[in-house]
Amino acid sequence: MFIDEITISAKAGRGGDGVVRWRKEIFEPMGGPAGGNGGRGGAVLARATRNSKTLNYYRQKNSFEAENGEAGGSRSKHGASAPDLILEFPIGTVITNKSTGEIFHLLKESQTERLLTGGAGGLGNEHFKSSTNTTPYEYTEGRDGEEASFFVELELFADIGLIGLPNAGKSSLLNALTNAKAKVGDYAFTTLDPNLGAYSGYTFADIPGLIEGAHEGKGLGTKFLRHIKHTKMLAHLISFENFLTCGAKGIENAYKEIRGELKAYGHGLSEKEEIVLLSKSDLVDEKIVERELKKFKTKKIEAHAITLFEDKDVKECADAMIKRLKKL
């Protein structure tokens, strides 16, 4: 199951207590204060990783606590600070502190952000020694670490995002190019979760089908529009089934519908590089295919036709996408 939203709770470690200790040496019976300070509690950090499935881990475990710092010791020894707790998230994850509203964007591999700070260690009695207070009994306890709940959402990073109306052939194309094994069906919204696959070292993301009004929450809504934000290029699939049902305007209207949703949603989606793939071209006559391709070329939009069943034309289109991508 693909998880792209989760809520977790976390707590940084408590600082170790300071202590009251005294030097006990043969020749210094009143050796003075020697209580050390406590160590700092462990912080909670978020680190970006390339594993796009790691949010699934938090479905099973969603509460985390860093270790506490050690208490101070005798002979002026300070307690050890606790190690930081590192939580890994996929690149493209957005983490929101539900208490403060602070937002963390993990955009690069190995990027690390501090979500919560560990508590400071307490002070031992040696800290309070002075010329007027040679035998202090004062000490302080360690402070609690910060704690909060976080809303975690994933915005997929991919080289090429496959977009289009439901049943345009996105999952079939992904399966033809990669070993993604995305579910394929002849009904709307067969794909309910994004699917990822790799071809020639480039990542392709199959974004679930969009419909008119998706930017307002209709259909699968904005839940998947956000996954397009970090793709480098868009491959816009339009099925010739639109031609069969709506005639000459079917292809054009399908194109405008998705382009309208991208523009309405904003976030620069409508400005991304785009290549059009007219899918299921085996459903119509070759003259119709050439005519529809020419319409896009007249508008200076790169377009290709694919059947989704022939390896040759599918790979040719994929190579064309990668060639275009390398120019960005």
Side-chain angles (χ1 to χ4, degrees):
M1 181 177 181
F2 184 91
I3 302 295
D4 59 358
E5 292 181 355
I6 203 80
T7 297
I8 65 172
S9 60
K11 182 178 181 180
R14 182 179 183 276
D17 295 336
V19 296
V20 175
R21 298 289 188 272
W22 307 96
R23 288 196 184 89
K24 295 181 180 180
E25 300 177 10
I26 297 175
F27 300 107
E28 289 188 70
M30 297 296 290
N37 300 336
R40 177 175 289 278
V44 178
L45 310 178
R47 179 172 294 168
T49 175
R50 283 190 174 274
N51 185 354
S52 63
K53 300 292 186 181
T54 51
L55 281 194
N56 290 27
Y57 168 74
Y58 299 103
R59 184 166 175 256
Q60 303 297 326
K61 178 177 171 61
N62 57 17
S63 181
F64 303 89
E65 188 170 341
E67 295 180 22
N68 298 330
E70 290 185 357
S74 58
R75 296 189 177 184
S76 305
K77 292 181 179 179
H78 295 329
S81 294
D84 295 332
L85 174 63
I86 301 176
L87 303 178
E88 291 189 338
F89 299 96
I91 300 171
T93 298
V94 181
I95 304 171
T96 303
N97 186 316
K98 297 177 69 174
S99 299
T100 66
E102 187 175 9
I103 299 175
F104 305 88
H105 295 267
L106 300 180
L107 302 177
K108 298 180 180 179
E109 186 176 9
S110 299
Q111 176 186 345
T112 303
E113 300 289 344
R114 182 184 296 269
L115 302 181
L116 298 171
T117 300
L123 302 174
N125 68 330
E126 184 178 29
H127 175 84
F128 297 96
K129 180 179 69 174
S130 68
S131 59
T132 59
N133 186 10
T134 58
T135 56
Y137 283 85
E138 295 94 338
Y139 74 99
T140 61
E141 296 180 344
R143 296 183 180 180
D144 289 333
E146 296 176 334
E147 61 180 309
S149 292
F150 296 90
F151 177 65
V152 183
E153 55 183 333
L154 175 61
E155 297 176 348
L156 284 179
F157 265 68
D159 295 302
I160 299 174
L162 307 180
I163 63 170
L165 293 171
N167 298 107
K170 300 180 295 297
S171 296
S172 295
L173 177 59
L174 188 71
N175 289 342
L177 289 174
T178 73
N179 61 352
K181 298 180 181 178
K183 183 180 179 181
V184 177
D186 59 357
Y187 53 92
F189 302 123
T190 305
T191 303
L192 298 178
D193 298 311
N195 294 299
L196 292 175
Y199 173 79
S200 294
Y202 293 87
T203 304
F204 287 70
D206 163 24
I207 309 299
L210 305 175
I211 63 171
E212 186 175 4
H215 71 281
E216 298 174 337
K218 293 182 180 179
L220 298 179
T222 59
K223 177 177 174 65
F224 298 117
L225 274 168
R226 73 165 185 266
H227 286 308
I228 309 173
K229 287 198 291 185
H230 298 297
T231 55
K232 297 177 183 178
M233 192 178 85
L234 301 178
H236 187 165
L237 274 76
I238 305 172
S239 170
F240 271 104
E241 289 176 327
N242 292 283
F243 182 88
L244 296 178
T245 56
C246 301
K249 284 288 185 180
I251 300 292
E252 182 180 353
N253 291 341
Y255 178 76
K256 288 182 177 179
E257 185 172 326
I258 296 300
R259 293 299 304 179
E261 289 306 311
L262 298 181
K263 186 174 182 179
Y265 183 70
H267 300 281
L269 299 193
S270 62
E271 300 169 9
K272 288 183 177 293
E273 288 287 321
E274 178 193 48
I275 188 169
V276 172
L277 303 181
L278 300 182
S279 64
K280 306 181 185 180
S281 59
D282 55 306
L283 297 178
V284 298
D285 187 86
E286 289 185 7
K287 292 183 179 180
I288 295 176
V289 174
E290 290 300 321
R291 187 178 67 198
E292 295 302 322
L293 287 173
K294 187 176 180 180
K295 289 180 181 179
F296 284 99
K297 291 176 182 178
T298 300
K299 298 177 182 179
K300 296 183 179 181
I301 299 172
E302 183 176 354
H304 301 267
I306 53 177
T307 66
L308 297 181
F309 295 105
E310 296 182 11
D311 288 343
K312 183 180 178 182
D313 63 3
V314 168
K315 292 185 187 284
E316 284 179 354
C317 286
D319 292 337
M321 286 187 275
I322 292 173
K323 182 178 179 180
R324 178 84 168 270
L325 186 63
K326 289 179 177 179
K327 294 180 180 179
L328 298 182

